[in-house]
Amino acid sequence: MDLLEHQGKELFRRWGLLVPEGRVAHTPKQASEAARALGPTVAVKAQVRIGGRGKAGGVKIVHDPEEAEAVAGAMLGLTIKGHPVRRVLVEAGVGITSESYLSILLDRTTRSHLIIASARGGMDIEAVAEDEPEAITRVHVDPLLGLQTFQVNRVLAGLGIPAASRKAAAAAVRNLYRLYVEADATLVEVNPLIVTDGGEVMALDSKVSLDDSAVFRHPEMSGYAPDEGVGSQEEAAAKHGLSTFLKLEGEVGIIGNGAGLVMSTLDLVDQVGGRAANFLDVGGGADAKVLSNALQLILADGRAKSVLVNIFGGITRCDLVAEGVVDALGAVEVTVPVVVRLAGTNADAGRRILSEARHPMLVPVGSMVEAAEKAVEATR
Amino acid sequence: MDLLEHQGKELFRRWGLLVPEGRVAHTPKQASEAARALGPTVAVKAQVRIGGRGKAGGVKIVHDPEEAEAVAGAMLGLTIKGHPVRRVLVEAGVGITSESYLSILLDRTTRSHLIIASARGGMDIEAVAEDEPEAITRVHVDPLLGLQTFQVNRVLAGLGIPAASRKAAAAAVRNLYRLYVEADATLVEVNPLIVTDGGEVMALDSKVSLDDSAVFRHPEMSGYAPDEGVGSQEEAAAKHGLSTFLKLEGEVGIIGNGAGLVMSTLDLVDQVGGRAANFLDVGGGADAKVLSNALQLILADGRAKSVLVNIFGGITRCDLVAEGVVDALGAVEVTVPVVVRLAGTNADAGRRILSEARHPMLVPVGSMVEAAEKAVEATR
Amino acid sequence: MAIFVDHNTRVLVQGLTGEQGRFHAARMKEYGTHVVAGVTPGKGGRQVDGTPVFDSVEDAISATDANVSLIFVPAPFASDAILEAAAAGIPLIICVTEGVPVHDMARIFTHLDSVRMHSTLIGPNCPGIISPGKSNVGIIPGSVAGPGRVGLVSRSGTLTYQIMDELTSMGIGQSTTVGIGGDPIVGTGFIDCLDRFEDDPETDIVVLIGEIGGEDEERAARFIADEMTKPVVAYIAGFTAPPGKRMGHAGAIVSGSRGTAAAKMQALEEAGVRVGRNPSEVAGLVAALSAN
Amino acid sequence: MAIFVDHNTRVLVQGLTGEQGRFHAARMKEYGTHVVAGVTPGKGGRQVDGTPVFDSVEDAISATDANVSLIFVPAPFASDAILEAAAAGIPLIICVTEGVPVHDMARIFTHLDSVRMHSTLIGPNCPGIISPGKSNVGIIPGSVAGPGRVGLVSRSGTLTYQIMDELTSMGIGQSTTVGIGGDPIVGTGFIDCLDRFEDDPETDIVVLIGEIGGEDEERAARFIADEMTKPVVAYIAGFTAPPGKRMGHAGAIVSGSRGTAAAKMQALEEAGVRVGRNPSEVAGLVAALSAN
């Protein structure tokens, strides 16, 4: 779960890191009020779950409440890389004497935690790593042992913090690591981590990803989950317990069981010249009701010019899947072809149910490749 | 550092374990006041750093303040296995429905922590282990991983706690483990751990040993160190920085450098028929001042009928040691033989200094065995 | 031989009294797997479909000589179950449970790495292991498997069943299929499985089924190039996955420019691995090799 | 050969800028030991008696190829120093510091036990290691040592110098003396040292110097009986120590009926070890064996 900047900063504050004073605004009016309270100079920052907002006009420095209102008004209409700006963060301006980069993330290769530090703050760290690898300090932290003092010293050296602010920076590093562990984060990034003109060490931006699997330990953090808006397809999916739903850009609706199989189906659709409209994994042991809901969800969206249902029955019974498909076709008006491929447990029974339904839009097929071809063909 | 029962219970309380209400009394009057506040029925318990006080009359149940005063008066005059009773703990009586045994200690063999649990509470656990080994549950805890739920379950099964109090007992086990780790204990023992007639889980006794080496992390716990009384030999040793001083029962005063060498010297004295009056390790690199203080300390005590100084010079310089010895002999009246054996760094110079001093009580010798023989001979 | 599980496998099921545990234990027994015990704390002494239940793994091992533990307990309790099995010294632990927090897995992985620990962990979030005709430990449908000499190792479930099914229907059986799981940190990765297949006299060809995320496939490619003599066929899912989106599996996510299917395929091909573009092509490549 | 340290040993001193570190580094260099670097965080770039100081162990190794780290930093910082040296991958760490908390050591010991860690720790609270005529790493006075074919391993300091001195003055030299330290938990115990002496072609006889507390001597006795072919002579200090009293060393304490000198002597004698009653007797037993 990726957090918005202001949510990440809420966690920073809770774990003892300094952040600028700020307020979230959902309207231009709220933005001007915030600017009045925090100004004169404030930053107005679009809250979106995607990087690169700066270049897209998502961050502005303004000098009075009227300007804040105007800037917020423009920003709240923006869509940055497909992400509509629904709120902005208005923050008090701070004097900066140095900028560093600091992050902690799960390193899958070593199965440990990795702290990355650099004195090149405020820049794209991947570019820095490419151009100036020696400007990046990497420190692996053993998950059982935790962060040690000698490692904090290495990180401080990497951050290039002036001597007078070393103690404050050490506290920031330790607090960020505590947050990372205690909040079950998979990434915490501060870019830039600044030293203010008063010598304080402060997080000017935040990027935090939390482990979805650990939310049971942090019920108070479930509120950070993306709110995709009332009536959205994601909301409908979540309501039906179809949590592994992902909206994509194409025109072939995809339903399958098992993450690998669904990914493989998406790839096949691509190989035969189509594009998937979504990723939808109904999981293991899906019954007729689940299938019916899933199919209706894809059909209701209206973007799909065809639907591909690809089921390999293990625990899942293909006869129940077929019943679900037929149920959905009876429940809503269907104007696009629904290509269904069933294999594994009770596949014969399932295919019989499909053929007996004799629905004009229903296209039973024998193999994955054939399914992909038929589904893509239908979109042309 | 071994804590008194009431000190251990202070820690128990701080880490969330239930203990009976109680007050420390230094006088019979304080004991009767405590009994008035906590009674009618209270336990009066001698506070000594040694086991087996029950059999020695150090624990009594009384039923009114007058009785408490009388019992405390008698107890405060006792000496239990060489430990004078300087204070008693007066505790409110509690109704007991079951008694168990619970301890956590450092297991040197596995280099991990070991929890021992038994349903045979209130008994000598070493005897239980001998007679009924199956009545003892042992659970090793990995120092990095910490206590796991499955281990708590094993411990609870071993404690034989009734189902209704399992949750409270699980909390007690977890809290005790936290105390053990966070206070740098090497032993925490609760015998008995009881279930009260109200179903609560409570520590009726405490035995806690803290790691002396970790006191720097817990400055507030340094107050738990034994207070041997003003004017004692231990106090004098501590004042001179001779922290590895130990009073023993014999008549040969011992000074040496290095724990192993001093132990070895004690053993040699025993082998030739004598007994050591003390253990005193002046440590590495001792100078004349340290040696002079050490020797004066032993001489001032008056119990030693002879003194054996055994130095193997490594970092320690034997010439400085000899100077210290001569200095002490000049500073105080010496009526017992001081046998000095010097070897290693600057031993020749040291021996020269000794022989030039021509002190009648000074007996320079060439070897450890000779030193022990001369020192023991002198006590006869 | 086969790898990991065979005729001598004696399974205890942690969470046998739960719905999932009971259902799959019954299926496993139907397949002929020796399911000898269940463990649910506080439910010792009961039976589930004739299988005795114990309070602890230690008790279950003492009573039944179980040598594999299969874990179905819910995610919040799965870490404790794994650690209990490991502390009891059981040689193989297979955790089916999905949704184990990744920080827990980082700690568990480090712990199991100690020289004092002697357990191999498969999973979590994995379908288990089947050595067709010998033992089926997990949720892989026995119907898609047939005994033979192809070893499979995979990060996914149904996708693997699909490939097994295609192989079996072409008359190409399997020595063992290992589902290593789809989480960012799993107990056993590709390399350890490849190594075992390389040493297994009953395996001739190995199929590796990977997906986006991490760089385990890239590391596997290096291992194949350096250490393996047996032919390897591979498949990678997720060529069309957009960066930053989690494709179902917690571990299936392209981070920036890392973990892409294209990079993985390239690494494998450079290591001499034949990579199929879809499950049927994979089956075809294996068939061609089998025919030689 | 010798064990642990020899002509190829290149020492970095953690805490070189402190009084103790500087003093002993000078003595070691006088003996001929290659002291190549010091480490004190924040003091990188300085020199101490001509030896360069670095901010971190990693930096020191990069610059000097040090292969042994000797630790003199104060107890509150010693754990961090050990972990830093281990993280930098240095093969041998010798910690002289006294007073390291035992919970820290329990954690460090468990950590170093991981298969990913490749460092051997000697100590803490130990005098170090000397291979006479080759290298002296620690605080053992070189004057008591002479080159030869007797290996010593000991929990104590001066007591060991005493025995070395008696041997040397009888013309019996040593291959290596290892002071493993007097704390309840030390990084390397008797057994590992005995094992190395057994394998060392330059060692003929081994002397084990133990003391009260723990049961490492008893375990060593079993190892000697089961695995060793070379003769072992032993000494145990603390026969007269009262139970429950700490005899100087944090680890030298008899707990109840456990850890007594009598039990240790019995175990060793039953394993065929000749146990001397005092240091001179030990030297005499070694001399008798050497004469054969």
Side-chain angles (χ1 to χ4, degrees):
Chain A
M1 169 168 46
D2 296 336
L3 269 48
L4 292 169
E5 177 193 7
H6 76 89
Q7 296 168 334
K9 283 181 168 170
E10 238 173 74
L11 296 187
F12 283 5
R13 219 177 267 122
R14 208 168 121 191
W15 265 273
L17 282 111
L18 288 183
V19 296
E21 251 195 291
R23 290 193 195 171
V24 176
H26 294 82
T27 64
K29 183 116 191 60
Q30 289 175 348
S32 77
E33 282 161 14
R36 195 159 291 120
L38 302 168
T41 301
V42 296
V44 180
K45 304 162 88 177
Q47 299 296 288
V48 283
R49 288 183 173 78
I50 191 84
R53 65 180 170 177
K55 282 177 200 150
V59 179
K60 301 274 186 206
I61 306 295
V62 300
H63 302 284
D64 60 60
E66 291 67 37
E67 201 186 345
E69 183 163 356
V71 161
M75 227 176 249
L76 286 164
L78 280 180
T79 292
I80 299 177
K81 298 185 188 173
H83 292 249
V85 179
R86 295 209 173 85
R87 37 191 152 168
V88 298
L89 175 62
V90 180
E91 277 189 336
V94 286
I96 301 175
T97 63
S98 80
E99 295 184 277
S100 305
Y101 172 94
L102 175 63
S103 68
I104 311 177
L105 52 91
L106 182 79
D107 182 45
R108 289 169 65 160
T109 305
T110 59
R111 273 82 168 141
S112 69
H113 307 308
L114 175 61
I115 305 183
I116 300 176
S118 174
R120 304 278 181 282
M123 299 167 65
D124 174 5
I125 198 69
E126 294 208 9
V128 175
E130 190 78 24
D131 303 339
E132 278 186 281
E134 74 290 349
I136 307 266
T137 296
R138 287 185 173 78
V139 176
H140 281 96
V141 181
D142 182 290
L144 285 173
L145 206 55
L147 183 62
Q148 304 297 314
T149 302
F150 79 89
Q151 296 172 318
V152 173
N153 290 339
R154 288 305 267 180
V155 171
L156 293 183
L159 290 171
I161 296 284
S165 299
R166 264 182 77 91
K167 216 165 159 180
V173 172
R174 289 185 193 277
N175 286 335
L176 193 69
Y177 185 80
R178 280 204 310 113
L179 184 170
Y180 171 80
V181 172
E182 293 174 8
D184 277 296
T186 53
L187 168 71
V188 288
E189 187 183 69
V190 187
N191 189 16
L193 179 77
I194 63 159
V195 175
T196 67
D197 42 20
E200 289 179 322
V201 172
M202 192 179 268
L204 219 54
D205 195 358
S206 91
K207 191 171 170 193
V208 174
S209 297
L210 302 179
D211 181 3
D212 295 306
S213 296
V215 172
F216 71 86
R217 285 203 277 245
H218 315 284
E220 79 284 7
M221 293 184 195
S222 58
Y224 291 144
D227 166 16
E228 302 293 351
V230 179
S232 74
Q233 213 177 356
E234 286 87 352
E235 194 203 36
K239 217 166 66 190
H240 289 120
L242 302 167
S243 59
T244 52
F245 173 85
L246 208 65
K247 201 166 172 167
L248 299 169
E249 304 288 312
E251 57 289 317
V252 181
I254 309 264
I255 297 171
N257 64 329
L261 188 65
V262 178
M263 264 190 278
S264 176
T265 309
L266 264 63
D267 290 350
L268 251 180
V269 164
D270 177 75
Q271 283 167 20
V272 299
R275 291 195 315 161
N278 69 281
F279 174 102
L280 176 47
D281 172 12
V282 296
D287 60 10
K289 188 80 199 133
V290 169
L291 252 293
S292 176
N293 286 337
L295 186 49
Q296 289 183 50
L297 177 76
I298 303 299
L299 291 170
D301 180 49
R303 289 183 309 133
K305 295 184 184 162
S306 71
V307 181
L308 194 173
V309 179
N310 183 18
I311 300 293
F312 194 97
I315 318 163
T316 308
R317 286 168 49 184
C318 289
D319 52 336
L320 298 182
V321 169
E323 281 173 19
V325 169
V326 172
D327 179 73
L329 295 178
V332 294
E333 198 194 348
V334 181
T335 57
V336 300
V338 176
V339 181
V340 182
R341 178 270 184 165
L342 302 175
T345 308
N346 295 1
D348 288 341
R351 282 191 284 264
R352 205 173 314 122
I353 290 165
L354 294 181
S355 71
E356 280 165 7
R358 293 177 199 281
H359 191 287
M361 289 292 119
L362 189 56
V363 186
V365 294
S367 76
M368 271 180 71
V369 175
E370 191 190 345
E373 284 168 353
K374 286 268 165 65
V376 171
E377 209 169 273
T379 63
R380 297 238 164 87
Chain B
M1 169 169 44
D2 297 337
L3 303 195
L4 292 170
E5 176 192 7
H6 77 90
Q7 295 168 335
K9 283 181 169 170
E10 237 173 74
L11 295 186
F12 284 4
R13 220 178 266 122
R14 207 169 122 191
W15 265 273
L17 282 111
L18 288 183
V19 295
E21 253 194 289
R23 292 193 193 170
V24 176
H26 293 82
T27 64
K29 184 115 190 60
Q30 288 175 349
S32 77
E33 281 161 16
R36 194 161 290 122
L38 301 168
T41 302
V42 296
V44 181
K45 305 163 86 178
Q47 299 296 287
V48 283
R49 288 183 173 80
I50 191 85
R53 65 178 170 181
K55 283 177 197 149
V59 179
K60 301 273 186 208
I61 307 295
V62 301
H63 301 285
D64 60 59
E66 291 68 35
E67 204 187 343
E69 183 161 356
V71 161
M75 226 175 251
L76 286 164
L78 282 179
T79 292
I80 299 177
K81 299 184 187 173
H83 292 250
V85 179
R86 293 207 175 85
R87 37 191 153 169
V88 298
L89 175 62
V90 180
E91 276 190 337
V94 286
I96 300 174
T97 64
S98 78
E99 296 184 275
S100 304
Y101 172 94
L102 174 63
S103 68
I104 310 177
L105 53 90
L106 182 80
D107 183 44
R108 290 169 64 160
T109 305
T110 59
R111 273 81 167 142
S112 68
H113 307 308
L114 174 61
I115 305 183
I116 300 177
S118 174
R120 304 280 182 281
M123 299 166 64
D124 173 6
I125 199 67
E126 293 207 11
V128 175
E130 190 78 21
D131 303 339
E132 280 185 279
E134 73 289 349
I136 307 267
T137 297
R138 286 185 175 77
V139 176
H140 281 96
V141 181
D142 183 289
L144 285 173
L145 206 54
L147 184 63
Q148 304 297 314
T149 301
F150 79 90
Q151 295 173 318
V152 174
N153 290 338
R154 289 304 269 179
V155 170
L156 292 182
L159 291 172
I161 295 284
S165 298
R166 265 183 76 92
K167 217 166 157 178
V173 172
R174 288 185 193 278
N175 286 335
L176 194 68
Y177 185 79
R178 279 204 308 114
L179 185 169
Y180 171 78
V181 172
E182 293 174 8
D184 278 296
T186 53
L187 168 71
V188 288
E189 187 183 68
V190 187
N191 189 17
L193 180 77
I194 64 160
V195 176
T196 67
D197 42 21
E200 289 178 324
V201 172
M202 192 179 268
L204 220 54
D205 196 358
S206 90
K207 192 171 170 194
V208 174
S209 298
L210 302 180
D211 181 2
D212 295 307
S213 296
V215 172
F216 71 86
R217 285 204 277 246
H218 315 284
E220 79 284 9
M221 293 184 195
S222 58
Y224 291 144
D227 165 16
E228 303 291 352
V230 178
S232 75
Q233 212 176 357
E234 286 86 352
E235 195 204 34
K239 217 166 65 190
H240 290 119
L242 303 167
S243 58
T244 53
F245 173 84
L246 207 67
K247 200 167 173 167
L248 299 169
E249 304 288 310
E251 56 289 318
V252 181
I254 311 264
I255 296 169
N257 65 329
L261 188 65
V262 178
M263 264 190 278
S264 177
T265 309
L266 263 62
D267 290 351
L268 250 180
V269 164
D270 176 76
Q271 285 167 21
V272 299
R275 290 195 314 160
N278 68 281
F279 174 103
L280 176 47
D281 172 13
V282 295
D287 59 12
K289 187 83 200 133
V290 170
L291 251 293
S292 175
N293 286 337
L295 185 51
Q296 289 184 52
L297 177 77
I298 302 299
L299 292 170
D301 181 50
R303 291 182 310 134
K305 294 184 185 160
S306 71
V307 181
L308 194 173
V309 179
N310 184 18
I311 300 293
F312 194 97
I315 318 166
T316 307
R317 284 167 50 183
C318 288
D319 53 335
L320 298 184
V321 168
E323 280 173 20
V325 168
V326 171
D327 178 71
L329 294 178
V332 294
E333 198 195 347
V334 181
T335 57
V336 300
V338 176
V339 181
V340 183
R341 179 266 183 169
L342 301 176
T345 307
N346 295 1
D348 288 340
R351 282 191 285 264
R352 203 172 316 122
I353 290 165
L354 294 181
S355 72
E356 283 165 6
R358 296 177 197 281
H359 191 285
M361 289 293 120
L362 188 57
V363 187
V365 295
S367 77
M368 269 180 72
V369 175
E370 190 192 347
E373 284 167 352
K374 286 267 164 65
V376 171
E377 208 170 274
T379 64
R380 297 235 166 87
Chain C
M1 287 248 323
I3 69 169
F4 288 120
V5 302
D6 59 23
H7 285 301
N8 300 316
T9 295
R10 297 170 62 79
V11 183
L12 75 81
V13 176
Q14 287 179 262
L16 179 64
T17 58
E19 197 185 322
Q20 276 229 57
R22 180 176 195 151
F23 175 76
H24 288 290
R27 279 167 59 106
M28 284 160 55
K29 283 197 270 190
E30 220 171 88
Y31 191 81
T33 309
H34 306 300
V35 177
V36 298
V39 170
T40 304
K43 298 200 176 165
R46 302 192 190 183
Q47 294 218 333
V48 169
D49 301 334
T51 303
V53 176
F54 299 86
D55 278 325
S56 72
V57 173
E58 206 176 309
D59 293 350
I61 294 174
S62 301
T64 67
D65 282 331
N67 54 18
V68 174
S69 180
L70 180 63
I71 296 176
F72 280 111
V73 304
F77 313 108
S79 300
D80 192 62
I82 294 170
L83 292 172
E84 178 178 3
I90 204 153
L92 184 64
I93 304 166
I94 301 174
C95 183
V96 174
T97 307
E98 187 179 348
V100 178
V102 73
H103 278 264
D104 289 4
M105 275 309 301
R107 292 164 54 87
I108 288 172
F109 187 92
T110 307
H111 176 63
L112 294 182
D113 205 19
S114 159
V115 293
R116 287 159 309 149
M117 303 307 294
H118 306 290
S119 299
T120 298
L121 170 67
I122 306 286
N125 190 20
C126 82
I129 305 177
I130 182 169
S131 293
K134 294 173 179 158
S135 188
N136 185 9
V137 187
I139 65 172
I140 298 175
S143 56
V144 302
R149 305 186 61 83
V150 176
L152 281 88
V153 55
S154 171
R155 278 168 70 184
S156 88
T158 44
L159 174 59
T160 310
Y161 312 161
Q162 168 75 30
I163 292 172
M164 288 171 74
D165 192 47
E166 297 210 31
L167 290 173
T168 303
S169 62
M170 291 164 84
I172 302 170
Q174 305 93 46
S175 51
T176 303
T177 293
V178 186
I180 60 170
D183 276 2
I185 296 183
V186 290
T188 300
F190 284 124
I191 290 175
D192 190 39
C193 298
L194 292 172
D195 197 21
R196 288 179 191 242
F197 278 131
E198 174 73 13
D199 291 343
D200 177 29
E202 291 183 10
T203 299
D204 295 335
I205 301 169
V206 183
V207 179
L208 181 154
I209 303 165
E211 61 189 31
I212 53 165
E215 46 189 32
D216 283 1
E217 289 81 0
E218 287 87 335
R219 293 197 298 154
R222 281 196 291 280
F223 178 83
I224 292 166
D226 295 345
E227 309 282 345
M228 285 190 76
T229 60
K230 296 181 181 176
V232 180
V233 174
Y235 177 70
I236 303 292
F239 276 85
T240 55
K245 300 286 187 185
R246 176 180 152 177
M247 306 303 279
H249 283 161
I253 182 165
V254 173
S255 311
S257 58
R258 306 177 74 185
T260 65
K264 290 170 190 299
M265 185 172 86
Q266 191 189 337
L268 286 162
E269 287 188 333
E270 282 170 10
V273 175
R274 296 153 187 84
V275 183
R277 292 197 332 147
N278 58 54
S280 301
E281 248 187 60
V282 170
L285 289 168
V286 175
L289 283 166
S290 297
N292 293 348
Chain D
M1 286 248 325
I3 69 170
F4 289 119
V5 302
D6 59 23
H7 284 301
N8 300 315
T9 294
R10 297 170 62 79
V11 182
L12 75 80
V13 176
Q14 288 179 264
L16 178 64
T17 56
E19 197 185 323
Q20 276 229 57
R22 181 177 194 150
F23 175 76
H24 289 289
R27 278 167 61 105
M28 285 160 55
K29 283 197 269 191
E30 219 171 273
Y31 191 80
T33 309
H34 306 299
V35 177
V36 298
V39 170
T40 303
K43 299 198 175 165
R46 303 191 189 183
Q47 293 218 333
V48 169
D49 301 334
T51 304
V53 176
F54 299 86
D55 277 326
S56 72
V57 173
E58 209 175 306
D59 292 350
I61 294 175
S62 302
T64 67
D65 282 330
N67 54 17
V68 174
S69 180
L70 179 64
I71 297 177
F72 280 110
V73 305
F77 313 108
S79 300
D80 192 63
I82 293 170
L83 292 171
E84 178 179 3
I90 203 154
L92 183 64
I93 303 165
I94 301 173
C95 182
V96 173
T97 308
E98 185 178 349
V100 178
V102 73
H103 278 264
D104 290 3
M105 274 310 300
R107 292 164 54 85
I108 288 171
F109 188 91
T110 307
H111 176 64
L112 295 183
D113 205 19
S114 158
V115 294
R116 286 159 308 150
M117 303 307 294
H118 306 289
S119 299
T120 297
L121 170 67
I122 306 284
N125 190 18
C126 81
I129 306 177
I130 181 170
S131 293
K134 293 173 179 159
S135 188
N136 185 9
V137 188
I139 65 173
I140 298 176
S143 56
V144 302
R149 303 187 62 83
V150 175
L152 280 87
V153 56
S154 172
R155 279 168 70 185
S156 87
T158 43
L159 175 57
T160 310
Y161 312 161
Q162 168 75 30
I163 292 173
M164 289 170 74
D165 192 47
E166 298 212 28
L167 290 173
T168 303
S169 62
M170 292 164 83
I172 301 170
Q174 305 94 46
S175 52
T176 302
T177 292
V178 186
I180 61 172
D183 275 2
I185 297 184
V186 292
T188 299
F190 284 125
I191 291 174
D192 190 40
C193 297
L194 292 172
D195 197 21
R196 289 179 190 241
F197 278 130
E198 174 72 13
D199 290 344
D200 176 30
E202 291 184 9
T203 300
D204 295 336
I205 301 170
V206 182
V207 178
L208 181 154
I209 302 165
E211 62 188 30
I212 53 166
E215 47 189 31
D216 283 1
E217 288 81 1
E218 288 86 336
R219 295 198 298 155
R222 282 196 291 281
F223 178 83
I224 292 165
D226 295 346
E227 309 283 345
M228 286 192 75
T229 59
K230 296 182 181 175
V232 179
V233 172
Y235 177 70
I236 303 293
F239 276 85
T240 55
K245 301 286 187 186
R246 176 180 151 177
M247 305 303 279
H249 284 160
I253 182 164
V254 173
S255 312
S257 59
R258 306 177 73 186
T260 65
K264 291 170 188 299
M265 184 172 87
Q266 192 188 336
L268 286 162
E269 287 188 333
E270 282 171 10
V273 175
R274 295 153 188 85
V275 182
R277 291 195 334 145
N278 58 55
S280 301
E281 249 188 61
V282 171
L285 288 169
V286 175
L289 283 166
S290 296
N292 292 347

